[in-house]
Amino acid sequence: MSLMKRISLIFHSKANSALDRAEDPRQTLDYSYQRQLELLSKVRRGVADVATSRKRVELQVNQLEQQANKLSAQAQKAIEMGREDLAREALTRKSGLATQINDLKTQHANLQGEEEKLTLAQQRLQAKVESFRTRKETIKATYTAAEAQTRIGEAMSGIGEEMGDVGLAIQRAEDKTAQLQARAGAIDELISSGALDDVSQVGGSDDISRELDAMSSQSDVESELARLKAGKTPEALEAGDILAEEPRRTSTEGQS
């Protein structure tokens, strides 16, 4: 397959997909019904035009027949008055009218046949349009119900476009909240460790204060360790007994 054919195939497939998404079957059905109504209206106008032509031919035939009857009467009167020449002229004109009358009757029969065909076609088309209208309304109602059911299902499952956006917004809010909580915890730990200064404290904390605090903490640890080794109470340790006794005990044990 050549490159141009592949491009053409891709373009047509994407255009067809876009048209499918943009098409609303209900609007398409309404448009088709409107076109059928317009066609039915044209057929009705055609039937009316043919009926009008048929009626006009009938009037012409009646007029010609009246003229033919009048010429017959004139010919009869001319014979009675001994004017054979006038009678001959009247009968000649009557013969010409007879030819026209026969032609018009033929046209009248053709128009009547055409009118009957169009009338039958109109009745069939009207029945078809009515059937289409009923089916159209049924399909539209079914489509609307299916569309509503689909939207409800999408809303319940959260996969709809609108509900999907809401779900993403909630997810982003939760992620941002967790990030802020982690950042706040990290800052607290840095402040506690002395890596960051707590500007809310008056005068703040300098390096000397932190060093003294560290030495105090170390002293507390040594005191607690000595208490545990001697089995003494914290009060005795505070009085300095343990620290004082420890060297003497070591000295006594050395003399013995």
Side-chain angles (χ1 to χ4, degrees), residues 101-120:
I101 290 173
N102 289 332
D103 292 341
L104 289 175
K105 285 185 177 179
T106 302
Q107 293 181 13
H108 180 269
N110 292 334
L111 289 173
Q112 191 170 13
E114 191 69 21
E115 181 182 353
E116 291 176 353
K117 290 180 181 178
L118 288 176
T119 302
L120 182 60

Side-chain angles (χ1 to χ4, degrees), residues 179-217:
Q179 184 178 0
L180 290 176
Q181 289 176 344
R183 184 178 180 83
I187 291 174
D188 290 341
E189 291 181 356
L190 291 174
I191 291 175
S192 299
S193 63
L196 293 178
D197 295 335
D198 187 0
V199 298
S200 63
Q201 294 182 358
V202 178
S205 178
D206 51 18
D207 296 339
I208 298 174
S209 298
R210 286 196 294 272
E211 186 67 22
L212 293 174
D213 293 340
M215 293 176 63
S216 176
S217 177

Side-chain angles (χ1 to χ4, degrees), residues 39-50:
L39 178 60
L40 180 59
S41 178
K42 289 181 180 178
V43 172
R44 287 174 176 170
R45 284 198 296 270
V47 173
D49 292 340
V50 172

Side-chain angles (χ1 to χ4, degrees), residues 212-245:
L212 293 174
D213 293 340
M215 293 176 63
S216 176
S217 177
Q218 185 65 27
S219 177
D220 293 341
V221 171
E222 293 298 335
S223 300
E224 183 67 16
L225 180 61
R227 182 187 66 78
L228 293 175
K229 290 180 177 179
K232 299 291 186 178
T233 60
E235 289 76 8
L237 289 173
E238 291 176 358
D241 294 341
I242 297 300
L243 295 177
E245 291 178 356

Side-chain angles (χ1 to χ4, degrees), residues 46-241:
V47 173
D49 292 340
V50 172
T52 301
S53 298
R54 176 182 55 78
K55 192 64 179 180
R56 186 179 299 171
V57 170
E58 286 181 3
L59 293 175
Q60 290 178 355
V61 169
N62 292 332
Q63 290 175 356
L64 293 177
E65 287 179 346
Q66 290 176 1
Q67 291 180 9
N69 294 332
K70 183 179 179 180
L71 289 172
S72 295
Q74 289 176 346
Q76 181 63 34
K77 188 175 182 180
I79 291 297
E80 292 174 355
M81 295 178 65
R83 295 291 302 275
E84 184 177 349
D85 55 336
L86 291 178
R88 188 181 300 276
E89 179 63 23
L91 291 177
T92 301
R93 294 182 180 180
K94 181 183 176 182
S95 177
L97 291 177
T99 302
Q100 294 181 23
I101 290 173
N102 289 332
D103 292 341
L104 289 175
K105 285 185 177 179
T106 302
Q107 293 181 13
H108 180 269
N110 292 334
L111 289 173
Q112 191 170 13
E114 191 69 21
E115 181 182 353
E116 291 176 353
K117 290 180 181 178
L118 288 176
T119 302
L120 182 60
Q122 175 196 342
Q123 294 173 352
R124 290 178 178 175
L125 180 59
Q126 185 170 359
K128 184 178 179 181
V129 171
E130 289 297 325
S131 176
F132 179 82
R133 186 184 67 82
T134 303
R135 188 176 179 184
K136 172 180 73 72
E137 296 299 330
T138 303
I139 294 175
K140 286 175 61 179
T142 305
Y143 182 86
T144 302
E147 186 180 44
Q149 187 175 0
T150 301
R151 290 186 181 279
I152 291 173
E154 290 179 348
M156 296 296 291
S157 60
I159 61 174
E161 183 175 358
E162 296 179 358
M163 296 304 295
D165 293 340
V166 173
L168 291 176
I170 293 174
Q171 183 64 38
R172 288 195 297 271
E174 291 178 348
D175 293 342
K176 194 168 185 178
T177 301
Q179 184 178 0
L180 290 176
Q181 289 176 344
R183 184 178 180 83
I187 291 174
D188 290 341
E189 291 181 356
L190 291 174
I191 291 175
S192 299
S193 63
L196 293 178
D197 295 335
D198 187 0
V199 298
S200 63
Q201 294 182 358
V202 178
S205 178
D206 51 18
D207 296 339
I208 298 174
S209 298
R210 286 196 294 272
E211 186 67 22
L212 293 174
D213 293 340
M215 293 176 63
S216 176
S217 177
Q218 185 65 27
S219 177
D220 293 341
V221 171
E222 293 298 335
S223 300
E224 183 67 16
L225 180 61
R227 182 187 66 78
L228 293 175
K229 290 180 177 179
K232 299 291 186 178
T233 60
E235 289 76 8
L237 289 173
E238 291 176 358
D241 294 341

